[in-house]
Amino acid sequence: MTESSPLVDGMLRIHKIITRGINVSIQKCDEYAGKKGIPPAEAKGFFMYVTTLKNVIHSHHGSEDEIVYPYLKNKIEAPYDRLEEEHNAIEGILSNLRQSLLEISSGEAGRLREVLGELNDLWKPHIRTEEENFIPEKVHAVA
């Protein structure tokens, strides 16, 4: 039996939380498109939800870049440069996400939906790479 690693457990947990946040946000945008816009009573809450998602992703990647990767770099072989490049690309998408959030006040979510789709398209393979490289057996052996 493989012992779990708090580092891997935490990474898997936050990946699931972020993935769910992206999926819910996309589903809500699709729902709003069917309703011909965001109902005014939901606009503030949706804005806060997506803003929080953006902040969580930013913080998560910051902790990986500043703490996790430097700690593991000389202990576990992984495509660190590629992962960091993907973090930079995701940061660019988060910047676009911040801009597209401004349309929520007008009841629109079309551009936001596009940006969330771009985020999702990069997010899925990115976390797959992390989760394939930072498996509990490897991390536990060096932690």
Side-chain angles (χ1 to χ4, degrees):
M1 182 169 112
T2 303
E3 287 189 49
S4 67
S5 160
L7 180 66
V8 174
D9 292 346
M11 181 181 68
L12 294 173
R13 190 172 300 116
I14 194 65
H15 285 174
K16 287 179 183 176
I17 291 167
I18 292 170
T19 299
R20 185 181 189 309
I22 294 169
N23 290 337
V24 167
S25 298
I26 289 171
Q27 289 168 356
K28 291 302 287 184
C29 284
D30 292 344
E31 178 185 316
Y32 294 142
K35 290 182 178 179
K36 305 292 186 226
I38 303 171
E42 295 180 28
K44 184 176 180 183
F46 186 55
F47 176 88
M48 291 173 61
Y49 185 87
V50 178
T51 298
T52 301
L53 172 65
K54 176 186 70 65
N55 292 338
V56 167
I57 295 169
H58 173 77
S59 296
H60 168 65
H61 284 163
S63 68
E64 286 181 337
D65 291 341
E66 295 173 21
I67 300 167
V68 177
Y69 293 171
Y71 175 76
L72 295 176
K73 215 169 218 173
N74 295 322
K75 297 175 172 104
I76 295 175
E77 190 174 323
Y80 294 101
D81 290 340
R82 186 177 104 210
L83 291 170
E84 290 173 2
E85 287 171 10
E86 290 172 355
H87 285 180
N88 290 333
I90 289 171
E91 278 301 310
I93 294 170
L94 294 180
S95 179
N96 293 339
L97 186 66
R98 184 174 45 255
Q99 291 295 339
S100 65
L101 280 166
L102 300 176
E103 75 179 12
I104 288 177
S105 62
S106 66
E108 297 295 320
R111 176 70 183 131
L112 178 61
R113 172 61 175 88
E114 289 176 27
V115 175
L116 287 166
E118 293 170 18
L119 175 60
N120 196 41
D121 289 346
L122 185 52
W123 175 254
K124 287 179 181 179
H126 174 73
I127 63 170
R128 188 176 318 113
T129 299
E130 285 186 344
E131 292 172 6
E132 288 171 353
N133 282 278
F134 304 119
I135 58 174
E137 296 87 355
K138 286 183 182 179
V139 175
H140 186 69
V142 301

mmCIF file of all heavy atoms in Angstrom, residues 40-75:
data_model
loop_
_atom_site.group_PDB
_atom_site.id
_atom_site.type_symbol
_atom_site.label_atom_id
_atom_site.label_comp_id
_atom_site.label_asym_id
_atom_site.label_seq_id
_atom_site.Cartn_x
_atom_site.Cartn_y
_atom_site.Cartn_z
ATOM 1 N N PRO A 40 -30.123 40.203 -13.300
ATOM 2 C CA PRO A 40 -29.489 41.186 -12.409
ATOM 3 C C PRO A 40 -29.307 40.683 -10.977
ATOM 4 O O PRO A 40 -28.291 40.991 -10.343
ATOM 5 C CB PRO A 40 -30.446 42.388 -12.462
ATOM 6 C CG PRO A 40 -31.119 42.259 -13.793
ATOM 7 C CD PRO A 40 -31.241 40.779 -14.048
ATOM 8 N N ALA A 41 -30.228 39.892 -10.472
ATOM 9 C CA ALA A 41 -30.132 39.400 -9.104
ATOM 10 C C ALA A 41 -28.976 38.410 -8.921
ATOM 11 O O ALA A 41 -28.534 38.168 -7.803
ATOM 12 C CB ALA A 41 -31.445 38.730 -8.688
ATOM 13 N N GLU A 42 -28.469 37.850 -10.014
ATOM 14 C CA GLU A 42 -27.379 36.870 -9.946
ATOM 15 C C GLU A 42 -26.027 37.448 -10.340
ATOM 16 O O GLU A 42 -24.996 36.822 -10.112
ATOM 17 C CB GLU A 42 -27.695 35.679 -10.863
ATOM 18 C CG GLU A 42 -28.907 34.890 -10.436
ATOM 19 C CD GLU A 42 -29.193 33.717 -11.354
ATOM 20 O OE1 GLU A 42 -28.253 33.181 -11.980
ATOM 21 O OE2 GLU A 42 -30.369 33.332 -11.445
ATOM 22 N N ALA A 43 -26.006 38.614 -10.931
ATOM 23 C CA ALA A 43 -24.776 39.175 -11.495
ATOM 24 C C ALA A 43 -23.675 39.357 -10.454
ATOM 25 O O ALA A 43 -22.530 38.955 -10.683
ATOM 26 C CB ALA A 43 -25.069 40.496 -12.201
ATOM 27 N N LYS A 44 -24.001 39.944 -9.311
ATOM 28 C CA LYS A 44 -22.966 40.201 -8.296
ATOM 29 C C LYS A 44 -22.386 38.892 -7.759
ATOM 30 O O LYS A 44 -21.170 38.753 -7.621
ATOM 31 C CB LYS A 44 -23.531 41.039 -7.160
ATOM 32 C CG LYS A 44 -22.492 41.413 -6.130
ATOM 33 C CD LYS A 44 -23.048 42.323 -5.051
ATOM 34 C CE LYS A 44 -21.961 42.667 -4.043
ATOM 35 N NZ LYS A 44 -22.476 43.491 -2.955
ATOM 36 N N GLY A 45 -23.243 37.934 -7.453
ATOM 37 C CA GLY A 45 -22.768 36.655 -6.932
ATOM 38 C C GLY A 45 -21.911 35.917 -7.934
ATOM 39 O O GLY A 45 -20.878 35.329 -7.581
ATOM 40 N N PHE A 46 -22.315 35.936 -9.218
ATOM 41 C CA PHE A 46 -21.538 35.259 -10.258
ATOM 42 C C PHE A 46 -20.191 35.948 -10.435
ATOM 43 O O PHE A 46 -19.152 35.294 -10.561
ATOM 44 C CB PHE A 46 -22.323 35.220 -11.559
ATOM 45 C CG PHE A 46 -21.666 34.431 -12.651
ATOM 46 C CD1 PHE A 46 -21.304 33.109 -12.449
ATOM 47 C CD2 PHE A 46 -21.417 34.997 -13.885
ATOM 48 C CE1 PHE A 46 -20.687 32.364 -13.452
ATOM 49 C CE2 PHE A 46 -20.812 34.272 -14.892
ATOM 50 C CZ PHE A 46 -20.446 32.953 -14.678
ATOM 51 N N PHE A 47 -20.204 37.278 -10.404
ATOM 52 C CA PHE A 47 -18.956 38.039 -10.502
ATOM 53 C C PHE A 47 -18.007 37.639 -9.370
ATOM 54 O O PHE A 47 -16.826 37.393 -9.596
ATOM 55 C CB PHE A 47 -19.262 39.547 -10.438
ATOM 56 C CG PHE A 47 -18.037 40.407 -10.428
ATOM 57 C CD1 PHE A 47 -17.463 40.823 -11.624
ATOM 58 C CD2 PHE A 47 -17.453 40.813 -9.241
ATOM 59 C CE1 PHE A 47 -16.326 41.622 -11.635
ATOM 60 C CE2 PHE A 47 -16.312 41.603 -9.226
ATOM 61 C CZ PHE A 47 -15.754 42.008 -10.430
ATOM 62 N N MET A 48 -18.522 37.558 -8.155
ATOM 63 C CA MET A 48 -17.694 37.193 -7.006
ATOM 64 C C MET A 48 -17.183 35.757 -7.123
ATOM 65 O O MET A 48 -16.036 35.471 -6.780
ATOM 66 C CB MET A 48 -18.482 37.394 -5.708
ATOM 67 C CG MET A 48 -18.738 38.861 -5.415
ATOM 68 S SD MET A 48 -19.824 39.149 -3.997
ATOM 69 C CE MET A 48 -18.892 38.389 -2.692
ATOM 70 N N TYR A 49 -18.019 34.846 -7.613
ATOM 71 C CA TYR A 49 -17.630 33.448 -7.762
ATOM 72 C C TYR A 49 -16.449 33.320 -8.730
ATOM 73 O O TYR A 49 -15.439 32.685 -8.420
ATOM 74 C CB TYR A 49 -18.824 32.622 -8.266
ATOM 75 C CG TYR A 49 -18.559 31.144 -8.345
ATOM 76 C CD1 TYR A 49 -18.759 30.328 -7.230
ATOM 77 C CD2 TYR A 49 -18.122 30.548 -9.519
ATOM 78 C CE1 TYR A 49 -18.528 28.956 -7.287
ATOM 79 C CE2 TYR A 49 -17.876 29.182 -9.584
ATOM 80 C CZ TYR A 49 -18.084 28.397 -8.472
ATOM 81 O OH TYR A 49 -17.836 27.050 -8.536
ATOM 82 N N VAL A 50 -16.569 33.931 -9.904
ATOM 83 C CA VAL A 50 -15.517 33.814 -10.920
ATOM 84 C C VAL A 50 -14.261 34.573 -10.479
ATOM 85 O O VAL A 50 -13.140 34.116 -10.716
ATOM 86 C CB VAL A 50 -16.017 34.274 -12.303
ATOM 87 C CG1 VAL A 50 -14.900 34.201 -13.336
ATOM 88 C CG2 VAL A 50 -17.203 33.424 -12.755
ATOM 89 N N THR A 51 -14.434 35.686 -9.806
ATOM 90 C CA THR A 51 -13.286 36.433 -9.290
ATOM 91 C C THR A 51 -12.528 35.600 -8.257
ATOM 92 O O THR A 51 -11.289 35.549 -8.267
ATOM 93 C CB THR A 51 -13.739 37.770 -8.675
ATOM 94 O OG1 THR A 51 -14.338 38.562 -9.705
ATOM 95 C CG2 THR A 51 -12.565 38.527 -8.079
ATOM 96 N N THR A 52 -13.246 34.933 -7.390
ATOM 97 C CA THR A 52 -12.609 34.070 -6.394
ATOM 98 C C THR A 52 -11.881 32.917 -7.069
ATOM 99 O O THR A 52 -10.752 32.581 -6.694
ATOM 100 C CB THR A 52 -13.656 33.545 -5.388
ATOM 101 O OG1 THR A 52 -14.261 34.673 -4.750
ATOM 102 C CG2 THR A 52 -13.027 32.642 -4.355
ATOM 103 N N LEU A 53 -12.494 32.312 -8.070
ATOM 104 C CA LEU A 53 -11.845 31.249 -8.840
ATOM 105 C C LEU A 53 -10.531 31.755 -9.423
ATOM 106 O O LEU A 53 -9.490 31.093 -9.306
ATOM 107 C CB LEU A 53 -12.777 30.752 -9.946
ATOM 108 C CG LEU A 53 -12.182 29.781 -10.957
ATOM 109 C CD1 LEU A 53 -11.784 28.461 -10.291
ATOM 110 C CD2 LEU A 53 -13.180 29.530 -12.090
ATOM 111 N N LYS A 54 -10.556 32.915 -10.031
ATOM 112 C CA LYS A 54 -9.356 33.513 -10.623
ATOM 113 C C LYS A 54 -8.273 33.690 -9.560
ATOM 114 O O LYS A 54 -7.108 33.347 -9.785
ATOM 115 C CB LYS A 54 -9.710 34.860 -11.261
ATOM 116 C CG LYS A 54 -8.543 35.640 -11.821
ATOM 117 C CD LYS A 54 -8.953 37.017 -12.290
ATOM 118 C CE LYS A 54 -9.311 37.957 -11.202
ATOM 119 N NZ LYS A 54 -8.237 38.340 -10.298
ATOM 120 N N ASN A 55 -8.648 34.180 -8.395
ATOM 121 C CA ASN A 55 -7.683 34.408 -7.319
ATOM 122 C C ASN A 55 -7.117 33.100 -6.770
ATOM 123 O O ASN A 55 -5.928 33.026 -6.442
ATOM 124 C CB ASN A 55 -8.329 35.224 -6.199
ATOM 125 C CG ASN A 55 -8.639 36.643 -6.628
ATOM 126 O OD1 ASN A 55 -8.061 37.166 -7.572
ATOM 127 N ND2 ASN A 55 -9.579 37.271 -5.941
ATOM 128 N N VAL A 56 -7.936 32.082 -6.672
ATOM 129 C CA VAL A 56 -7.473 30.778 -6.187
ATOM 130 C C VAL A 56 -6.457 30.184 -7.165
ATOM 131 O O VAL A 56 -5.410 29.678 -6.758
ATOM 132 C CB VAL A 56 -8.657 29.812 -5.942
ATOM 133 C CG1 VAL A 56 -8.182 28.376 -5.742
ATOM 134 C CG2 VAL A 56 -9.480 30.276 -4.748
ATOM 135 N N ILE A 57 -6.750 30.246 -8.462
ATOM 136 C CA ILE A 57 -5.812 29.712 -9.463
ATOM 137 C C ILE A 57 -4.486 30.461 -9.388
ATOM 138 O O ILE A 57 -3.407 29.851 -9.381
ATOM 139 C CB ILE A 57 -6.413 29.796 -10.884
ATOM 140 C CG1 ILE A 57 -7.629 28.884 -11.002
ATOM 141 C CG2 ILE A 57 -5.360 29.429 -11.937
ATOM 142 C CD1 ILE A 57 -8.442 29.095 -12.279
ATOM 143 N N HIS A 58 -4.557 31.779 -9.311
ATOM 144 C CA HIS A 58 -3.339 32.598 -9.233
ATOM 145 C C HIS A 58 -2.510 32.221 -7.997
ATOM 146 O O HIS A 58 -1.292 32.005 -8.095
ATOM 147 C CB HIS A 58 -3.714 34.084 -9.209
ATOM 148 C CG HIS A 58 -2.559 34.982 -8.974
ATOM 149 N ND1 HIS A 58 -1.643 35.290 -9.957
ATOM 150 C CD2 HIS A 58 -2.145 35.625 -7.857
ATOM 151 C CE1 HIS A 58 -0.717 36.083 -9.462
ATOM 152 N NE2 HIS A 58 -1.004 36.311 -8.184
ATOM 153 N N SER A 59 -3.153 32.110 -6.860
ATOM 154 C CA SER A 59 -2.444 31.771 -5.624
ATOM 155 C C SER A 59 -1.876 30.356 -5.667
ATOM 156 O O SER A 59 -0.752 30.115 -5.210
ATOM 157 C CB SER A 59 -3.385 31.903 -4.426
ATOM 158 O OG SER A 59 -3.783 33.238 -4.276
ATOM 159 N N HIS A 60 -2.659 29.433 -6.211
ATOM 160 C CA HIS A 60 -2.204 28.045 -6.319
ATOM 161 C C HIS A 60 -0.932 27.962 -7.158
ATOM 162 O O HIS A 60 0.050 27.334 -6.749
ATOM 163 C CB HIS A 60 -3.316 27.187 -6.924
ATOM 164 C CG HIS A 60 -2.880 25.829 -7.339
ATOM 165 N ND1 HIS A 60 -2.433 24.884 -6.442
ATOM 166 C CD2 HIS A 60 -2.802 25.254 -8.569
ATOM 167 C CE1 HIS A 60 -2.102 23.780 -7.103
ATOM 168 N NE2 HIS A 60 -2.311 23.983 -8.389
ATOM 169 N N HIS A 61 -0.936 28.613 -8.307
ATOM 170 C CA HIS A 61 0.240 28.548 -9.163
ATOM 171 C C HIS A 61 1.417 29.294 -8.548
ATOM 172 O O HIS A 61 2.571 28.868 -8.697
ATOM 173 C CB HIS A 61 -0.075 29.062 -10.559
ATOM 174 C CG HIS A 61 -0.848 28.067 -11.352
ATOM 175 N ND1 HIS A 61 -1.542 28.414 -12.481
ATOM 176 C CD2 HIS A 61 -1.044 26.747 -11.186
ATOM 177 C CE1 HIS A 61 -2.130 27.328 -12.961
ATOM 178 N NE2 HIS A 61 -1.844 26.311 -12.186
ATOM 179 N N GLY A 62 1.146 30.366 -7.842
ATOM 180 C CA GLY A 62 2.217 31.068 -7.143
ATOM 181 C C GLY A 62 2.896 30.172 -6.117
ATOM 182 O O GLY A 62 4.126 30.151 -6.017
ATOM 183 N N SER A 63 2.104 29.410 -5.369
ATOM 184 C CA SER A 63 2.696 28.515 -4.361
ATOM 185 C C SER A 63 3.473 27.380 -5.015
ATOM 186 O O SER A 63 4.508 26.962 -4.505
ATOM 187 C CB SER A 63 1.625 27.968 -3.415
ATOM 188 O OG SER A 63 0.750 27.093 -4.083
ATOM 189 N N GLU A 64 2.993 26.895 -6.154
ATOM 190 C CA GLU A 64 3.759 25.853 -6.853
ATOM 191 C C GLU A 64 5.087 26.416 -7.356
ATOM 192 O O GLU A 64 6.139 25.785 -7.177
ATOM 193 C CB GLU A 64 2.954 25.290 -8.036
ATOM 194 C CG GLU A 64 1.835 24.378 -7.623
ATOM 195 C CD GLU A 64 1.056 23.795 -8.792
ATOM 196 O OE1 GLU A 64 1.068 24.383 -9.900
ATOM 197 O OE2 GLU A 64 0.419 22.759 -8.588
ATOM 198 N N ASP A 65 5.040 27.586 -7.987
ATOM 199 C CA ASP A 65 6.248 28.183 -8.559
ATOM 200 C C ASP A 65 7.266 28.591 -7.494
ATOM 201 O O ASP A 65 8.472 28.466 -7.706
ATOM 202 C CB ASP A 65 5.894 29.412 -9.402
ATOM 203 C CG ASP A 65 5.150 29.065 -10.676
ATOM 204 O OD1 ASP A 65 5.196 27.894 -11.107
ATOM 205 O OD2 ASP A 65 4.501 29.975 -11.250
ATOM 206 N N GLU A 66 6.789 29.078 -6.363
ATOM 207 C CA GLU A 66 7.690 29.623 -5.347
ATOM 208 C C GLU A 66 8.084 28.622 -4.265
ATOM 209 O O GLU A 66 9.123 28.782 -3.632
ATOM 210 C CB GLU A 66 7.044 30.846 -4.701
ATOM 211 C CG GLU A 66 6.860 31.989 -5.677
ATOM 212 C CD GLU A 66 6.056 33.145 -5.098
ATOM 213 O OE1 GLU A 66 5.979 33.256 -3.857
ATOM 214 O OE2 GLU A 66 5.506 33.919 -5.888
ATOM 215 N N ILE A 67 7.259 27.592 -4.041
ATOM 216 C CA ILE A 67 7.535 26.661 -2.943
ATOM 217 C C ILE A 67 7.707 25.221 -3.432
ATOM 218 O O ILE A 67 8.735 24.592 -3.207
ATOM 219 C CB ILE A 67 6.410 26.724 -1.881
ATOM 220 C CG1 ILE A 67 6.308 28.142 -1.301
ATOM 221 C CG2 ILE A 67 6.650 25.705 -0.773
ATOM 222 C CD1 ILE A 67 5.057 28.398 -0.488
ATOM 223 N N VAL A 68 6.688 24.699 -4.093
ATOM 224 C CA VAL A 68 6.667 23.270 -4.441
ATOM 225 C C VAL A 68 7.735 22.920 -5.470
ATOM 226 O O VAL A 68 8.537 22.010 -5.247
ATOM 227 C CB VAL A 68 5.265 22.840 -4.931
ATOM 228 C CG1 VAL A 68 5.263 21.373 -5.355
ATOM 229 C CG2 VAL A 68 4.226 23.081 -3.844
ATOM 230 N N TYR A 69 7.747 23.608 -6.599
ATOM 231 C CA TYR A 69 8.709 23.259 -7.647
ATOM 232 C C TYR A 69 10.159 23.413 -7.189
ATOM 233 O O TYR A 69 10.973 22.519 -7.412
ATOM 234 C CB TYR A 69 8.462 24.056 -8.920
ATOM 235 C CG TYR A 69 7.173 23.741 -9.640
ATOM 236 C CD1 TYR A 69 6.762 24.536 -10.706
ATOM 237 C CD2 TYR A 69 6.341 22.679 -9.290
ATOM 238 C CE1 TYR A 69 5.583 24.268 -11.390
ATOM 239 C CE2 TYR A 69 5.161 22.420 -9.959
ATOM 240 C CZ TYR A 69 4.785 23.214 -11.013
ATOM 241 O OH TYR A 69 3.626 22.966 -11.691
ATOM 242 N N PRO A 70 10.515 24.535 -6.539
ATOM 243 C CA PRO A 70 11.909 24.631 -6.065
ATOM 244 C C PRO A 70 12.278 23.504 -5.096
ATOM 245 O O PRO A 70 13.409 23.019 -5.138
ATOM 246 C CB PRO A 70 11.958 25.997 -5.374
ATOM 247 C CG PRO A 70 10.895 26.796 -6.051
ATOM 248 C CD PRO A 70 9.795 25.802 -6.334
ATOM 249 N N TYR A 71 11.361 23.096 -4.246
ATOM 250 C CA TYR A 71 11.637 22.017 -3.300
ATOM 251 C C TYR A 71 11.852 20.688 -4.020
ATOM 252 O O TYR A 71 12.749 19.916 -3.682
ATOM 253 C CB TYR A 71 10.492 21.897 -2.288
ATOM 254 C CG TYR A 71 10.656 20.716 -1.364
ATOM 255 C CD1 TYR A 71 11.567 20.753 -0.314
ATOM 256 C CD2 TYR A 71 9.915 19.557 -1.546
ATOM 257 C CE1 TYR A 71 11.737 19.669 0.538
ATOM 258 C CE2 TYR A 71 10.068 18.462 -0.703
ATOM 259 C CZ TYR A 71 10.988 18.522 0.330
ATOM 260 O OH TYR A 71 11.149 17.442 1.149
ATOM 261 N N LEU A 72 11.031 20.407 -5.035
ATOM 262 C CA LEU A 72 11.076 19.111 -5.706
ATOM 263 C C LEU A 72 12.051 19.047 -6.875
ATOM 264 O O LEU A 72 12.425 17.954 -7.302
ATOM 265 C CB LEU A 72 9.668 18.733 -6.209
ATOM 266 C CG LEU A 72 8.606 18.483 -5.142
ATOM 267 C CD1 LEU A 72 7.263 18.223 -5.803
ATOM 268 C CD2 LEU A 72 9.004 17.325 -4.231
ATOM 269 N N LYS A 73 12.473 20.188 -7.385
ATOM 270 C CA LYS A 73 13.235 20.244 -8.639
ATOM 271 C C LYS A 73 14.453 19.328 -8.673
ATOM 272 O O LYS A 73 14.716 18.686 -9.677
ATOM 273 C CB LYS A 73 13.653 21.677 -8.930
ATOM 274 C CG LYS A 73 13.661 22.002 -10.396
ATOM 275 C CD LYS A 73 13.817 23.487 -10.617
ATOM 276 C CE LYS A 73 12.953 23.870 -11.790
ATOM 277 N NZ LYS A 73 12.870 25.285 -12.012
ATOM 278 N N ASN A 74 15.204 19.264 -7.623
ATOM 279 C CA ASN A 74 16.406 18.431 -7.596
ATOM 280 C C ASN A 74 16.142 17.036 -7.040
ATOM 281 O O ASN A 74 17.069 16.255 -6.865
ATOM 282 C CB ASN A 74 17.513 19.114 -6.785
ATOM 283 C CG ASN A 74 17.971 20.391 -7.444
ATOM 284 O OD1 ASN A 74 18.067 20.467 -8.666
ATOM 285 N ND2 ASN A 74 18.228 21.403 -6.647
ATOM 286 N N LYS A 75 14.870 16.740 -6.781
ATOM 287 C CA LYS A 75 14.521 15.457 -6.181
ATOM 288 C C LYS A 75 13.672 14.570 -7.096
ATOM 289 O O LYS A 75 13.768 13.351 -7.040
ATOM 290 C CB LYS A 75 13.762 15.697 -4.876
ATOM 291 C CG LYS A 75 14.585 16.417 -3.822
ATOM 292 C CD LYS A 75 13.732 16.734 -2.608
ATOM 293 C CE LYS A 75 14.600 17.272 -1.506
ATOM 294 N NZ LYS A 75 14.541 18.662 -1.290
#
